[in-house]
Amino acid sequence: MNQDSIAYLNGTFQPLSEAKISVLDRGFIFGDGVYEFVPVYHRRPFRLAQHLQRLDNCLKAIKLSNPKSAAEWEALFQEIIRRAPYEQQAVYLQITRGVAPRDHPFPQGATPTVFMMVNPLKLASSEQIENGVACVSADDFRWHRCDIKSISLLGNILLRQVSVEAGAMETVLFRNGFLSEASSSNVFAVKNGVILAPLRDHLILPGITYDAVLEFAPKIGIPVETRPVSRAEVLTADELWLTSSGKEVLAITTLDGKPIGDGKPGAAFKKMWAYYQTQK
Ligand code: PDD
């Protein structure tokens, strides 16, 4: 990248390469923080209110008070988007419990570290949209609070690497024989024209794209069942989808080398993908 990305750190806008934090930041030492990733289309953040609500929920879940009001966050997003040189942007936001001597208990009086950066938004290629993507599966060995968008992503990273090493796009995760999500995406199955959505419980991230898909489905006439989805149902599904803020909706056409449905993106996927494009 020849143009240095823009960053915001604790009140100051600066080039990303100049942004520095203490090695005692609890984000660095403990992974003690939460984050958001917001896609920006034509300089307009997509579903910002929902991202800010999830951020607030996650801060509450880790007992860290939100350092800014929704209006302040909105203003900050507006400003960093204005300063960045790209039309399509990926805004990353991270809040940690701040800088303090290394000790497990929450520090008294530490100021949360607020960090944001903007990068160009990298979406799926037209080849991936048209032909779908290959995924592999693995056992979901992460903790039981996957609903918290924690910066402690070691489990997710180790699981993502399984697919990297298999030359696949994502790792689809099963816990006790049921679908949870993928290493950095939510997953839906489609069977007989019905979307099967895993429960929005503590074992998956409540994706903003997951919510968007469930909101769009009735508008385009696709019924949804939100319930536990077994491995057998996933393996015999007509369609499988990945969703995330960066991937939008993508069809999984092979899982562990075996075709899903007829091995091509299905009719429901095409409908959902097309509708998604009109909403962003
Ligand atoms: N990842 N599940 C996990 C584990 C994720 O990391 C993500 C997103 C999602 C989808 O959430 P959303 O629709 O809100 O993007 C589901 C982001 C993009 C990331 O880590 O960069």
Side-chain angles (χ1 to χ4, degrees), residues 35-39 51 54 92 142 146 148-150 153 156 170 173 180-187 203-212 243-248 276:
Y35 75 104
E36 277 296 328
F37 173 100
V38 182
H51 281 279
R54 180 173 66 186
Y92 176 85
R142 300 172 302 159
C146 297
I148 300 175
K149 202 161 171 61
S150 163
L153 285 173
N156 301 66
E170 253 287 25
L173 306 175
S180 50
E181 55 180 347
S183 72
S184 64
S185 327
N186 289 110
V187 179
L203 301 182
I204 70 167
L205 186 81
I208 304 305
T209 323
Y210 170 104
D211 287 344
T243 68
S244 77
S245 295
K247 298 179 192 79
E248 300 181 343
Y276 196 96

Side-chain angles (χ1 to χ4, degrees), residues 188-250:
F188 296 91
V190 177
K191 187 71 182 175
N192 300 326
V194 179
I195 296 175
L196 306 180
L199 297 177
R200 204 177 181 289
D201 58 14
H202 283 184
L203 301 182
I204 70 167
L205 186 81
I208 304 305
T209 323
Y210 170 104
D211 287 344
V213 160
L214 293 193
E215 186 186 309
F216 297 162
K219 298 190 173 152
I220 53 175
I222 309 179
V224 178
E225 281 177 29
T226 304
R227 59 168 177 79
V229 182
S230 71
R231 183 195 295 271
E233 286 179 298
V234 168
L235 299 181
T236 58
D238 299 326
E239 303 184 26
L240 280 184
W241 304 348
L242 288 172
T243 68
S244 77
S245 295
K247 298 179 192 79
E248 300 181 343
V249 192
L250 269 186

Side-chain angles (χ1 to χ4, degrees), residues 7-14:
Y8 168 93
L9 181 61
N10 296 330
T12 310
F13 290 97
Q14 56 196 285

